[in-house]
Amino acid sequence: MNYDFSEKEFSFFIELHQLLAKYAEGKKLDDCDLAGSENNLRQATAMLAGTPYLKLAIEPVDGFNGLLTLTGAWEVLASISPSLYISVETSARIFGRIISAWGDDVQKKKWLPEILSGKVIGAVGLSEESLNIDNAPLATLGVLNGDKVEISGRKQYVVNGPMADWFAVVGNMGDKPAIFMVEKGNPGLIIGARSATIGYGGAAISPLELKNCVIPAANVLFPADAKSMTATLRLWENQILMGASLGLMKTAFESARTYAKTHKTGGKPIIAFQEIGFKLSEMLTLFQTSQLFAYRTAWTSEKDPKEAESLTLCAKVFCTESAEQVACEAMKILGGAGYLSGNAVEQAFRCAKYGQIAGTSTEIARVKIGDTALGLRN
Amino acid sequence: MDFAFTKEQLMFKKEIIRFAKKEIVPRVQEHDLHKQFDFESFRKLGEFGILGLHFPEELGGGGADVITTVMAGEALGEAGVDGGLTLAYGAHTFLCSDTIYSHGTPEQRKKYIPKLASGEWIGCMGLTEPNAGSDVASMTTTAEKKGDKYVLNGSKIFITNGPIADVAVVYAKTQPEKKHAGISAFIVEKDTPGYKSGANLIKMGVSTSQTSELFFNNCEIPASHLLGKEGDGFNMSLQTVEWDRSALLAPFVGAATFMLTRCVEYAKTREQFGRTIGQFQAVKRKIANIRIFGEAARNLVYRIAWCKDQKKPLNHLEAAVAKLFVGDWSLGPSNDAVVLHGGYGYCHEYDMERIFRDSRLAPIGGGTSDIQKMIISKLI
């Protein structure tokens, strides 16, 4: 048993923080137009490619512990910029892991180096109008025609949609689950307008439509079965949302603590008042509990993937709900200053809600956790 | 990072659960109902080796590490052992025995630890006073040195195992003007003239543990019963915090697993509106909340234990976070467990109301949640 990161991991987190903090100086990473978002994402991924960050949990990195190390690193990036975090992770981790897990050797060679070097931005089309994706079959279909595949379907809430070079579109081909790799500019790929969202203002999210979109048959990946494919994709999403929550809590807590130590009322810093000090104590309790929960979940994912499914849902619910609470309390500590647009706490407050909605929603997650306990789900 | 328990630890945990279910749990309800201490169960804990698990074998202990010791506490809770007995075990082993073991002379260790580890003697710890709870420095119990004796005067309150203890570790001021630095610790045996315990206090939960006042009226003890040096008492009491935030919290984590198991069993068999209630989303939600709490709390408790095993100095911030979380966040799940059982949850027979009552101690005992918040807010 060991409840600490190694010195090498700690050093990596510090170096990563320094690198990203320097990059973020003077930039509006979480509130920018599409061109700005794309520019930031391309610059940041290229920069991260010079560190082990993009490879973690996709390729072995000497001295590091895969997803567990990555979870520590997630907190760093998400605390610097939640928007950059969600964009980078969608590209490198979800898109990257799709190739890594389900691509054949040729496909891996084609896309993985490009993604891990930051040269290419990926997006993933999973969500469809049917809310309960676990029970309803995906409506996006590919039809084989010689050495080509013609795809039709609609996807919503596609992170990186307006700026990706490649899209991994999840659907079915015949009676098999399939993931269609579609390049930007491919005829029949219609990228919708960037959606306005309450948080993650530096990320670009849009719907997609595939209308008689023809791609080479060699660009189709075939996961083993539909159920495990969607479960795995949701698992990856949930992990990323946990990481986002840690970063949001770090930002919200540290901002509120700094404010409470420097803002004075009645001649003393407001942290001296129990109502504020106690609030910060509760926030830190949620933050530290979330950290350990996320780390153990990441460790379990690599040691016991079966056990990790339900545990990840537990941790996802806890971390994302904690993030919302911590951000909410932080805003109260900042008072009027917290309500002004553009400050880190207000931004964390707006972003935090996404964690409970995206991936497996906290409501569905609780149902699944209950089902697992009741033996209604394997 | 590596969160794995060893195979031996996991096997040991299973053994404890099996032992506790067979030897202790069948008597829990009756003793809780009558608010009686279960001497037989306590003796069996001693026979099994739990009371002295972390002490060296030559003193009658099991030589276990902290993680294994904490796991034993979790296992007792998971088996369904009541919070009263686990509290009695905690006060006995960690607040009394461990203080003697950690700060006692070889003679003191040899005299007391084997008897305490076996359960032949029961121990308690007297720190809190009517007007000195978390504000330890305000204690008024004094110990005046007279020749080769100390004379104790004062009283203690809310002392777990007070009415049944054979030996007590008592904190008193040897130099009242020095506040914290004037506090010393002493070993006081049951039949010492001038020492007596009060009647068992009736509590809302942890009912099988016996709690009382302790009175010292010109109570003379040999000077050799001083633990460590004069003035070391406050630091000794602080050192028990490591155990308090790990081993004493562990039964609450185990109780969450027990609640989860019982709620699942009930939800799978109880039928309403033509189907088992486990099929309703509101019931699944409660079950999920109980599991989420247990999983989250477990990490905090074992982290404190792991740090102690690594001989790292106690991180007071992490310790307070663990106590605050287990204390305050356990209330929701224990409430959920009662409500999930409906009318049965309100009845003694179904155990949930007992756990609900027992869990109310978590935000109070060993430093209230507000005290933990004071600590955290000062440290940040």
Side-chain angles (χ1 to χ4, degrees):
Chain A
M1 191 172 264
N2 184 349
Y3 266 76
D4 269 346
F5 285 111
S6 67
E7 281 185 24
K8 187 175 179 182
E9 288 171 313
F10 274 126
S11 299
F12 169 55
F13 301 151
I14 291 168
E15 285 164 18
L16 187 65
H17 185 270
Q18 289 168 343
L19 184 74
L20 288 164
K22 194 175 172 193
Y23 173 73
E25 265 175 19
K27 291 192 177 68
K28 289 180 86 178
L29 296 174
D30 289 277
D31 179 20
C32 35
D33 61 20
L34 187 55
S37 294
E38 183 167 347
N39 188 44
N40 292 336
L41 177 57
R42 289 189 188 279
Q43 281 180 2
T45 44
M47 187 180 67
L48 288 168
T51 76
Y53 184 91
L54 296 181
K55 292 191 178 78
L56 288 168
I58 295 176
E59 290 181 349
V61 180
D62 192 35
F64 288 156
N65 210 346
L67 186 63
L68 188 48
T69 307
L70 179 61
T71 306
W74 275 342
E75 183 182 312
V76 176
L77 176 53
S79 68
I80 298 283
S81 167
S83 301
L84 205 51
Y85 169 83
I86 212 79
S87 305
V88 168
E89 285 308 311
T90 299
S91 177
R93 218 71 54 191
I94 304 186
F95 187 94
R97 283 169 117 181
I98 284 173
I99 311 292
S100 174
W102 296 312
D104 60 29
D105 287 347
V106 176
Q107 291 166 331
K108 282 180 187 170
K109 213 174 255 179
K110 181 174 180 180
W111 288 294
L112 217 41
E114 300 271 276
I115 282 289
L116 298 183
S117 65
K119 289 177 185 160
V120 157
I121 300 299
V124 178
L126 173 62
S127 183
E128 296 184 354
E129 257 186 21
S130 166
L131 283 175
N132 193 349
I133 195 166
D134 286 349
N135 297 330
L138 291 166
T140 298
L141 295 176
V143 178
L144 185 64
N145 186 1
D147 61 353
K148 305 278 184 198
V149 172
E150 186 175 319
I151 320 158
S152 300
R154 289 170 191 269
K155 296 289 178 183
Q156 57 187 5
Y157 314 131
V158 180
V159 177
N160 294 347
M163 50 195 188
D165 303 300
W166 280 90
F167 296 82
V169 180
V170 184
N172 290 299
M173 198 161 101
D175 56 355
K176 282 184 182 171
I179 297 176
F180 309 105
M181 305 299 290
V182 186
E183 194 170 9
K184 181 182 179 178
N186 199 103
L189 172 67
I190 303 158
I191 300 165
R194 182 186 189 184
S195 307
T197 53
I198 66 167
Y200 291 103
I205 300 172
S206 72
L208 289 184
E209 187 176 357
L210 298 117
K211 216 171 183 177
N212 305 320
C213 177
V214 178
I215 62 169
N219 286 6
V220 184
L221 281 60
F222 292 102
D225 69 86
K227 200 176 168 191
S228 71
M229 176 186 71
T230 49
T232 303
L233 288 167
R234 284 293 187 222
L235 176 78
W236 294 341
E237 284 184 327
N238 292 336
Q239 290 169 344
I240 287 168
L241 293 163
M242 263 191 287
S245 300
L246 298 184
L248 294 173
M249 278 187 271
K250 180 177 164 65
T251 298
F253 171 75
E254 289 180 352
S255 301
R257 181 179 58 183
T258 302
Y259 186 84
K261 284 181 175 181
T262 52
H263 182 70
K264 289 186 179 176
T265 189
K268 53 183 177 179
I270 60 171
I271 197 170
F273 294 97
Q274 282 194 338
E275 192 65 17
I276 301 298
F278 282 22
K279 210 182 272 297
L280 283 163
S281 303
E282 290 167 4
M283 290 158 63
L284 184 70
T285 297
L286 287 171
F287 179 32
Q288 290 199 344
T289 307
S290 296
Q291 282 178 313
L292 278 181
F293 206 164
Y295 301 155
R296 185 162 71 90
T297 302
W299 176 84
T300 306
S301 293
E302 301 203 323
K303 302 290 176 191
D304 186 354
K306 189 72 201 157
E307 167 66 14
E309 284 177 26
S310 184
L311 191 66
T312 303
L313 291 175
C314 290
K316 194 262 185 183
V317 170
F318 186 83
C319 293
T320 57
E321 289 186 346
S322 294
E324 188 180 352
Q325 285 178 52
V326 169
C328 182
E329 296 303 317
M331 184 174 274
K332 286 189 209 162
I333 289 173
L334 265 71
Y339 199 67
L340 295 178
S341 293
N343 75 80
V345 168
E346 177 258 358
Q347 180 183 291
F349 179 81
R350 285 188 287 106
C351 291
K353 199 72 210 173
Y354 181 72
Q356 292 172 50
I357 294 164
T360 310
S361 72
T362 46
E363 285 75 18
I364 296 293
R366 280 195 169 88
V367 169
K368 289 185 174 185
I369 295 163
D371 281 346
T372 303
L374 288 158
L376 300 173
R377 167 184 292 269
N378 290 325
Chain B
M1 276 188 169
D2 180 354
F3 296 89
F5 294 104
T6 65
K7 274 186 189 168
E8 291 75 20
Q9 285 169 332
L10 293 171
M11 278 170 59
F12 185 56
K13 185 181 179 188
K14 274 188 186 170
E15 267 187 56
I16 294 177
I17 292 173
R18 192 166 52 229
F19 151 77
K21 281 185 173 173
K22 185 179 172 203
E23 303 291 347
I24 296 175
V25 173
R27 287 190 305 279
V28 161
Q29 286 188 354
E30 188 192 338
H31 283 82
D32 179 71
L33 194 61
H34 297 104
K35 300 184 185 297
Q36 290 171 339
F37 185 71
D38 186 350
F39 285 96
E40 187 181 344
S41 288
F42 196 79
R43 185 178 52 75
K44 285 184 173 175
L45 285 176
E47 285 171 5
F48 194 84
I50 290 174
L51 298 180
L53 203 52
H54 71 288
F55 297 127
E57 290 178 20
E58 61 268 26
L59 292 174
D65 60 13
V66 181
I67 291 283
T68 308
T69 305
V70 168
M71 185 177 252
E74 186 190 359
L76 292 176
E78 190 170 332
V81 175
D82 63 292
L85 188 64
T86 56
L87 176 66
Y89 147 64
H92 166 92
T93 297
F94 304 109
L95 306 186
C96 176
S97 311
D98 188 74
T99 306
I100 295 174
Y101 173 70
S102 297
H103 306 287
T105 61
E107 292 74 27
Q108 287 170 332
R109 286 179 173 189
K110 202 171 170 186
K111 180 177 180 185
Y112 295 105
I113 300 299
K115 285 180 179 170
L116 290 164
S118 66
E120 182 187 341
W121 278 18
I122 297 175
C124 73
M125 184 269 280
L127 176 65
T128 301
E129 296 183 2
N131 292 311
S134 299
D135 180 12
V136 176
S138 296
M139 76 166 54
T140 56
T141 298
T142 56
E144 190 183 349
K145 189 153 187 205
K146 287 189 175 173
D148 60 352
K149 296 190 187 304
Y150 282 97
V151 181
L152 273 63
N153 279 290
S155 68
K156 301 288 175 181
I157 197 166
F158 308 134
I159 308 306
T160 302
N161 296 343
I164 55 173
D166 299 285
V167 59
V169 168
V170 177
Y171 293 89
K173 278 191 172 167
T174 42
Q175 289 182 285
E177 71 283 1
K178 282 194 173 175
K179 295 191 172 177
H180 293 94
I183 298 171
S184 304
F186 300 92
I187 301 170
V188 182
E189 293 183 16
K190 183 171 69 176
D191 295 324
T192 308
Y195 166 50
K196 67 172 185 175
S197 61
N200 182 36
L201 298 169
I202 304 303
K203 309 179 294 291
M204 73 176 283
V206 291
S207 300
T208 67
S209 71
Q210 305 296 290
T211 313
S212 71
E213 292 177 273
L214 302 180
F215 301 102
F216 304 93
N217 185 10
N218 292 321
C219 171
E220 285 189 2
I221 56 169
S224 61
H225 282 204
L226 171 71
L227 273 168
K229 297 197 298 290
E230 278 193 18
D232 283 354
F234 181 68
N235 285 334
M236 289 182 196
S237 71
L238 280 185
Q239 284 177 28
T240 64
V241 170
E242 284 177 308
W243 287 115
D244 199 275
R245 306 306 186 242
S246 54
L248 271 86
L249 292 181
F252 290 99
V253 176
T257 309
F258 178 70
M259 282 192 295
L260 179 67
T261 306
R262 296 296 289 270
C263 286
V264 165
E265 285 169 4
Y266 184 79
K268 284 166 88 168
T269 52
R270 168 75 172 168
E271 288 191 14
Q272 288 290 279
F273 305 107
R275 53 180 168 162
T276 57
I277 62 167
Q279 294 185 51
F280 293 104
Q281 289 189 343
V283 171
K284 292 176 188 177
R285 180 184 183 84
K286 288 182 174 61
I287 287 171
N289 286 342
I290 296 168
R291 177 161 183 218
I292 291 167
F293 163 73
E295 298 288 359
R298 180 173 292 116
N299 308 319
L300 297 169
V301 169
Y302 280 105
R303 176 166 169 85
I304 304 289
W306 177 77
C307 287
K308 186 167 171 59
D309 264 338
Q310 302 306 306
K311 315 284 184 215
K312 289 173 181 255
L314 177 68
N315 181 324
H316 288 278
L317 189 68
E318 289 179 354
V321 162
K323 175 69 168 60
L324 178 58
F325 185 78
V326 175
D328 278 11
W329 273 264
S330 65
L331 305 183
S334 61
N335 184 59
D336 277 343
V338 170
V339 175
L340 185 145
H341 280 75
Y344 296 109
Y346 202 64
C347 295
H348 186 254
E349 185 188 348
Y350 276 70
D351 293 321
M352 296 302 106
E353 65 87 31
R354 187 189 75 243
I355 296 177
F356 177 83
R357 287 186 286 107
D358 288 355
S359 68
R360 302 300 99 160
L361 181 68
I364 297 171
T368 65
S369 290
D370 280 352
I371 292 298
Q372 306 315 312
K373 291 176 192 174
M374 277 176 64
I375 293 168
I376 296 168
S377 57
K378 278 181 184 164
L379 291 173
I380 59 174

